[in-house]
Amino acid sequence: MGAYRYPLNLQLFNQEKTEPATPKKRDEARKKGQVSKTQELPGALIILFVFLSFLALGGYYKERLYYLFGGLLQDWLTMDLSSGNVMSLFNSVTMQIIIMLAPVFAIAVLTAIASYYVQIGFLLTGEPLKPKLSKLNPLTGFKHIFSLRSLVELLKSLLKLTVVGLILFFTIWKEWDRILTLGNVPVEELFLFTARLTLQLGIEFAAVLFILAVGDYIYQRYEYEKSLRMSKQDIKDEFIKTEGNPLIKGKIRERQKRMALQRMMQEIPKADVVITNPTHFAVALKYDSSKMEAPVILAKGMDYVAQRIKEIAKENGIVTMENKPLARALYDRTEIGDSIPAELFQAVAEVLAYVYKLKGRTKSS
């Protein structure tokens, strides 16, 4: 029994989602519309900025209200209505209401866009709108209803109602004596008191909602990160899927090296000379003055590859010369197919001159 317990425990450990999400997992979730955001923040900011706009643009709203109701009470109530002027009256009232509420609509739209942008940046995806049959499953619905998230949403709603009720109670309690005397004040003063009390309640309510929204955003961020967590096995599977199986990639690289080595060995018979260390390094050079500006490296290698280069050179009658510093310099500073560096021209030219001279003697004999 003990012999099988450790592998089983290790497998279960690898399946535990304890690791932060990888950038690839985050990007895939974002494309699906799965981002960390709270719906409370836009609502709180819209209420806050709208009520602040009432303070900043109070004169504008007052003027538009006087113009709307002044015309209604002075002119429109005494005019004779007919089929011809009813539509004109309706259009005039509608336009006046739109002009009066235009700042509120603009503030609400801009605030909503800005609050979502601050939370998630620019994101345009239709993935959440796609129909999913799993949403029609009643079992899934019951799970959502009785989940921890639903409980948190319920507690959050109860907290908001409690806070709003307390703010309303204490604000009215503080102004209760003043409220009892409103029956004896002019209408204008009554309106001023009501407007001031409404603005105070609105701003206080919005400020509390904003604090709750920040707390909700922190919670939503935590839940989002928790939902994206991956197990060690998930990370391994993603790496294999993205980068490929390391064993297969290793075999491919090994095969590519063998093929490259084979192609290099096939070029050695075309060389004019092989410069050696003599035991550790070997570099095969070729020079054709009609096609090349400088000698070119056909092959190079060290240790076993160097020995193999020398063997092929010997089999094909290629001259092999020992020059330790030149062989090491060519091996370190060039790659196969490169022309030799300019600072090595003189040394290589002397070697090639000797080789051509040696070949000439061989041909004459």
Side-chain angles (χ1 to χ4, degrees):
M1 294 293 292
Y4 294 94
R5 187 175 301 166
Y6 176 74
L8 181 60
N9 291 341
L10 181 60
Q11 183 179 6
L12 292 175
F13 176 75
N14 287 336
Q15 294 298 329
E16 292 180 359
K17 297 185 181 298
T18 58
E19 305 301 314
T22 61
K24 184 176 184 297
K25 176 78 176 287
R26 294 179 184 277
D27 186 59
E28 290 176 350
R30 182 177 176 82
K31 289 179 180 177
K32 294 178 181 178
Q34 299 173 2
V35 291
S36 173
K37 67 179 186 297
T38 175
Q39 305 289 347
E40 306 297 329
L41 187 61
L45 290 177
I46 287 173
I47 295 174
L48 179 62
F49 285 121
V50 166
F51 275 94
L52 289 176
S53 74
F54 291 155
L55 284 176
L57 303 175
Y60 170 83
Y61 291 117
K62 179 180 178 181
E63 179 183 349
R64 302 315 304 178
L65 282 173
Y66 280 162
Y67 185 83
L68 175 63
F69 288 101
L72 177 64
L73 297 175
Q74 293 179 10
D75 302 325
W76 300 336
L77 292 180
T78 59
M79 67 184 299
D80 295 329
L81 296 178
S82 64
S83 58
N85 61 15
V86 166
M87 204 62 203
S88 176
L89 175 62
F90 176 77
N91 292 335
S92 177
V93 173
T94 303
M95 184 59 63
Q96 290 301 322
I97 294 175
I98 291 175
I99 293 174
M100 182 175 63
L101 297 180
V104 176
F105 292 147
I107 291 171
V109 172
L110 293 176
T111 303
I113 294 174
S115 60
Y116 276 111
Y117 182 80
V118 169
Q119 292 184 81
I120 63 176
F122 180 77
L123 177 62
L124 185 63
T125 176
E127 191 70 24
L129 301 178
K130 291 183 179 179
K132 295 182 180 179
L133 296 178
S134 60
K135 294 182 178 180
L136 302 178
N137 189 342
L139 294 177
T140 305
F142 279 117
K143 288 181 180 178
H144 287 309
I145 291 174
F146 298 103
S147 64
L148 178 61
R149 181 179 290 271
S150 298
L151 179 60
V152 171
E153 292 296 326
L154 175 62
L155 294 176
K156 187 171 61 178
S157 299
L158 293 175
L159 179 62
K160 285 195 295 185
L161 289 174
T162 303
V163 170
V164 171
L166 290 174
I167 291 176
L168 184 62
F169 173 79
F170 284 111
T171 302
I172 294 179
W173 180 264
K174 187 173 60 175
E175 300 287 344
W176 185 248
D177 293 338
R178 176 64 174 164
I179 292 174
L180 294 177
T181 62
L182 291 178
N184 301 321
V185 300
V187 175
E188 184 176 359
E189 187 176 343
L190 174 63
F191 276 114
L192 288 175
F193 173 79
T194 304
R196 180 181 62 80
L197 188 62
T198 303
L199 284 175
Q200 179 182 347
L201 285 172
I203 294 175
E204 291 177 355
F205 176 49
V208 172
L209 282 184
F210 176 75
I211 296 173
L212 294 177
V214 172
D216 184 61
Y217 176 76
I218 295 173
Y219 170 75
Q220 297 294 342
R221 185 77 181 180
Y222 166 77
E223 285 291 319
Y224 176 73
E225 293 293 335
K226 184 179 177 180
S227 67
L228 289 182
R229 284 178 189 170
M230 304 172 67
S231 65
K232 295 182 182 295
Q233 187 62 42
D234 291 336
I235 296 176
K236 290 179 182 178
D237 293 341
E238 181 187 286
F239 178 80
I240 291 175
K241 183 179 178 180
T242 305
E243 304 293 336
N245 193 313
L247 294 176
I248 296 176
K249 290 182 68 177
K251 290 181 179 179
I252 292 174
R253 285 195 296 266
E254 184 179 352
R255 182 178 179 84
Q256 290 173 341
K257 288 180 180 179
R258 287 201 305 267
M259 293 175 65
L261 183 62
Q262 185 177 1
R263 287 194 301 268
M264 184 184 73
M265 294 301 180
Q266 292 173 353
E267 294 294 318
I268 295 174
K270 302 176 184 178
D272 292 319
V273 63
V274 173
I275 303 174
T276 67
N277 184 296
T279 55
H280 296 295
F281 300 97
V283 181
L285 298 176
K286 179 177 178 59
Y287 179 59
D288 186 346
S289 58
S290 62
K291 299 179 181 179
M292 305 173 184
E293 295 182 357
V296 174
I297 308 297
L298 291 184
K300 71 172 190 173
M302 62 184 299
D303 297 332
Y304 169 78
V305 178
Q307 295 299 324
R308 184 59 184 155
I309 290 173
K310 289 188 288 185
E311 290 175 3
I312 297 176
K314 185 176 180 181
E315 293 171 0
N316 291 272
I318 307 299
V319 177
T320 300
M321 287 191 62
E322 179 182 338
N323 189 324
K324 295 181 180 180
L326 182 57
R328 183 60 185 264
L330 290 171
Y331 182 87
D332 290 339
R333 299 170 61 181
T334 61
E335 296 296 334
I336 297 172
D338 291 350
S339 298
I340 64 171
E343 56 269 23
L344 298 178
F345 279 179
Q346 182 64 33
V348 173
E350 293 176 358
V351 171
L352 289 176
Y354 175 79
V355 171
Y356 293 151
K357 184 177 179 181
L358 185 62
K359 287 182 178 180
R361 290 178 181 176
T362 303
K363 289 181 180 180
S364 63
S365 60

